[in-house]
Amino acid sequence: MAEAAIPQSVSSPAPEKFLPLGKVSFFRRFWASYSAAILTVGAIVIAGVLWEIEARYIKLVPAYLIPPMSEILAKLWTDTISGEIPFQLAWSLKNYAIGYLIGAGLAIPLGLGMGTFQALNKLLSPYVWILYVLPRIALLPIAIIAMGFGPEAKILFIAMACFFQVIIPTVAGVVTVPASLLKVGRLFGGSRIQVYRKVVLPYALNFIITGLRLAARTGLMVMYSTELFGSIRGIATYSIREAALFHTDGVFAGLIVITLLAVVLVSVIDILDEKLRPWKNEVSF
Amino acid sequence: METAMQSTDSNVLVPALEQPLPPPTRWQAFRTRYGTLIVTITNISLFCVLWQILQGGPTPVIDTRWIPAPLSIINAIITTTVRGSLIDNFVFSATTYSLGFIVTILLGIPVGVFLGLNKDVRNVAQTFVWIGYSTPTVAILPILTVIMGFGVDAKVALVALSTFFPVAINILNGIATIDPVLLKAGRVFGANRWQLFTKITLPALLPWTLTGLRIASRRGLTAVIVAELFGSIRGLGFMVRLEADRFQSAKSYAAIVMLCVIALILLNGLEWIEKKATPWRAKPKF
């Protein structure tokens, strides 16, 4: 309606801003393509330099609390070379991977089942909701007393976090398939199974992938916070130990490792998602 | 489409494609109104009874130190409420949480809007906010504890930090995706920069901010609990840990039930506010 009201015949001369590409100066083109990357890298470098200056000369916060950036990077380097950080990180990541696989592996079939069968949905959804809303981390002390400081409790919590992050979008995906699509499928002579395979599953796939993405991020957070409380090994344990020894450079080194890990993981997933699923429409949570 | 199909034109001798439904009988009306509720309540009650039978008897299936029977949890809730420990710890946690959240609302939202206004500043800020959003914020807890100690301020700082990033990332996204046509239309109608900001940018940001706050409320709750588990002398998280260490797990479940209630109220309350404040936005419920 609104579009129809706009007269289509009016043709204005192109505004001067949109010159053909050849006439734009090299610098402008360069800036247009890379400004975000340049500004980001520049900002990170400047932040690091300011940190260094603050810790060495200004000292708003005593240097034993926030050490200079160079010392943090040096500590990061030595501990990586000595194998300490990779060793701890590998232990954490193993739990993370196992937990993620268990959680997502259970959530997808169960979610599809709950979305498809009304009765199952009615039976299980109250529990899924309660456990989803409950801040599950509060159960950690009991789980640790029951299971010990080993990997079992961590895997359980990572699996739970991933499970709920995946199952809720999965159910929502199956339930919210537009009725018109289902009708079209039936109209064109698809059997129930065919409609399910060719309409419902591709539609729900979007939601499932969104859930898997969210789970990757949440699982990482849970991995860290479960280790924080008490653990035999792990990257968070490394940070805690360094903090207890007042080696704040080690704490910041651990923080850098976990930040890098999260950023790399999330961006790899996002890029893969972009490449493999170009048709996606954003499902926001 | 749907309405066009349903309309029955008496002059045309074509039957309506879809007959209007007959008015519901009293039983049907009752079922549509209360059916789900009744099924859910029956479902949960049966589950609790089963749980009580399995765990409450002399030979529980799982050690009652890990999973106590529901009646003993209710008993523990009553005892701890009467003695006051549940209420005390609740007040402490709620204060910490609200202080952190207020810091985010008062400082975080303006900072987010301010960072978003210029395109280049926004690009840089987006990266930092995105890094902050992707990393587990609780990773800063050891540093905060070393700097600020085991008092309230470290916990408030942690809550503020973990709630800031979801809010900020949503605001920055919101500013980046404002429809440029709206801004141009504003300019055409003679709005100055301030008017553009107050009449177009801010209303467009409202739903984004509310979504950010909803996500932040969950993260903030987790942050409070982790901070109290990790090092604290009061609070619900501390209570869970203390009672678990004393093998009085019914009492720690009492605290967990309390946390669950808080989470439910928070989440539903924020969802309700979101619905009331942005009625034009029909959101699918997840």
Side-chain angles (χ1 to χ4, degrees):
Chain A
M1 287 264 283
E3 286 100 315
I6 299 170
Q8 297 291 313
S9 55
V10 176
S11 60
S12 55
E16 295 205 352
K17 263 202 285 188
F18 305 118
L19 290 173
L21 210 58
K23 295 193 182 172
V24 179
S25 70
F26 170 77
F27 179 73
R28 266 215 189 151
R29 259 187 297 158
F30 186 74
W31 186 250
S33 331
Y34 298 108
S35 67
I38 293 171
L39 285 172
T40 305
V41 174
I44 290 176
V45 170
I46 290 173
V49 171
L50 284 180
W51 181 322
E52 181 77 25
I53 292 172
E54 195 280 330
R56 285 217 184 277
Y57 305 109
I58 306 175
K59 293 184 179 168
L60 291 172
V61 184
Y64 63 88
L65 291 181
I66 297 187
M69 200 61 186
S70 50
E71 281 179 26
I72 296 170
L73 292 177
K75 172 85 176 168
L76 182 62
W77 179 247
T78 24
D79 276 3
T80 312
I81 289 298
S82 73
E84 174 72 8
I85 287 178
F87 172 69
Q88 308 283 15
L89 195 60
W91 194 82
S92 297
L93 283 180
K94 198 182 81 194
N95 295 341
Y96 173 66
I98 297 174
Y100 187 91
L101 287 180
I102 293 176
L106 286 177
I108 293 174
L110 197 59
L112 289 176
M114 277 174 68
T116 317
F117 303 110
Q118 273 278 313
L120 194 64
N121 195 3
K122 273 194 180 150
L123 184 71
L124 292 181
S125 64
Y127 308 110
V128 170
W129 264 104
I130 291 173
L131 281 173
Y132 175 70
V133 170
L134 173 76
R136 287 178 300 276
I137 196 80
L139 293 166
L140 186 61
I142 297 165
I144 283 186
I145 292 175
M147 299 175 155
F149 291 110
E152 296 89 353
K154 278 105 207 161
I155 291 176
L156 175 72
F157 275 81
I158 296 167
M160 278 204 292
C162 295
F163 178 81
F164 289 106
Q165 287 286 2
V166 175
I167 195 168
I168 285 187
T170 308
V171 175
V174 179
V175 169
T176 59
V177 178
S180 56
L181 290 184
L182 293 177
K183 279 184 195 164
V184 168
R186 299 289 286 169
L187 201 62
F188 283 170
S191 67
R192 275 183 168 277
I193 292 175
Q194 276 175 327
V195 169
Y196 195 79
R197 248 191 44 214
K198 307 230 159 145
V199 179
V200 177
L201 282 186
Y203 186 85
L205 189 66
N206 245 344
F207 288 75
I208 296 175
I209 292 176
T210 306
L212 289 176
R213 256 174 70 185
L214 288 175
R217 194 175 282 188
T218 315
L220 205 62
M221 297 198 182
V222 174
M223 175 193 100
Y224 201 89
S225 40
T226 46
E227 279 176 15
L228 213 52
F229 182 69
S231 173
I232 47 172
R233 275 196 276 283
I235 188 70
T237 316
Y238 167 84
S239 280
I240 297 288
R241 205 185 50 216
E242 296 291 312
L245 298 171
F246 253 88
H247 291 163
T248 35
D249 48 353
V251 184
F252 279 103
L255 189 62
I256 290 177
V257 170
I258 193 83
T259 309
L260 275 180
L261 180 68
V263 167
V264 168
L265 190 77
V266 174
S267 23
V268 165
I269 290 175
D270 279 356
I271 291 169
L272 272 181
D273 192 30
E274 198 75 28
K275 291 264 184 265
L276 296 178
R277 196 164 57 116
W279 71 88
K280 71 170 170 180
N281 48 346
E282 272 306 323
V283 183
S284 70
F285 284 88
Chain B
M1 285 292 273
E2 209 79 355
T3 48
M5 280 178 174
Q6 278 169 1
S7 69
T8 46
D9 197 346
S10 53
N11 298 329
V12 186
L13 290 174
V14 173
L17 284 174
E18 285 178 34
Q19 297 289 343
L21 289 171
T25 59
R26 283 183 73 183
W27 165 241
Q28 280 171 337
F30 179 77
R31 257 192 71 176
T32 42
R33 183 131 171 68
Y34 298 108
T36 324
L37 189 69
I38 291 172
V39 169
T40 309
I41 289 175
T42 325
N43 184 356
I44 292 180
S45 326
L46 282 178
F47 177 75
C48 287
V49 170
L50 191 69
W51 182 2
Q52 177 69 36
I53 292 169
L54 287 179
Q55 290 295 100
T59 51
V61 180
I62 304 170
D63 198 327
T64 44
R65 282 177 302 176
W66 320 140
I67 300 180
L71 281 182
S72 49
I73 295 177
I74 293 171
N75 193 14
I77 292 176
I78 295 169
T79 329
T80 46
T81 313
V82 170
R83 288 202 192 138
S85 65
L86 190 64
I87 308 289
D88 277 355
N89 289 321
F90 165 69
V91 169
F92 182 80
S93 296
T95 317
T96 317
Y97 180 77
S98 337
L99 283 176
F101 216 68
I102 288 171
V103 170
T104 292
I105 292 175
L106 291 186
L107 285 177
I109 295 178
V111 166
V113 174
F114 181 71
L115 288 176
L117 287 178
N118 180 296
K119 187 168 165 286
D120 287 331
V121 176
R122 184 171 67 226
N123 279 339
V124 174
Q126 220 153 13
T127 316
F128 281 103
V129 169
W130 187 75
I131 291 175
Y133 181 68
S134 307
T135 37
T137 324
V138 280
I140 308 174
L141 184 60
I143 296 162
L144 285 178
T145 312
V146 167
I147 294 177
M148 296 179 169
F150 287 108
V152 189
D153 30 4
K155 292 168 187 66
V156 173
L158 187 72
V159 175
L161 270 177
S162 41
T163 49
F164 170 74
F165 289 110
V167 174
I169 202 166
N170 270 290
I171 290 180
L172 292 180
N173 258 337
I175 296 189
T177 56
I178 287 180
D179 192 352
V181 173
L182 290 180
L183 291 174
K184 279 181 196 160
R187 292 309 288 262
V188 169
F189 283 122
N192 58 28
R193 290 186 86 120
W194 176 248
Q195 281 170 328
L196 282 182
F197 178 68
T198 52
K199 305 249 154 127
I200 295 174
T201 310
L202 283 187
L205 283 183
L206 183 65
W208 290 92
T209 314
L210 290 173
T211 308
L213 285 176
R214 189 161 49 86
I215 299 170
S217 70
R218 281 181 66 84
R219 287 207 177 183
L221 204 58
T222 310
V224 172
I225 296 167
V226 171
E228 284 172 359
L229 289 179
F230 180 66
S232 174
I233 45 163
R234 286 165 77 191
L236 285 174
F238 166 73
M239 186 175 161
V240 172
R241 182 181 178 174
L242 179 75
E243 302 295 353
D245 287 350
R246 286 179 182 162
F247 287 112
Q248 302 259 2
S249 66
K251 284 184 184 164
S252 35
Y253 275 90
I256 291 169
V257 169
M258 195 76 184
L259 285 170
C260 196
V261 171
I262 297 174
L264 275 173
I265 292 174
L266 263 176
L267 221 69
N268 285 324
L270 282 169
E271 228 162 66
W272 183 80
I273 290 175
E274 213 177 326
K275 218 182 273 172
K276 288 282 159 191
T278 57
W280 64 89
R281 206 158 151 259
K283 230 186 125 280
K285 189 174 191 282
F286 290 115

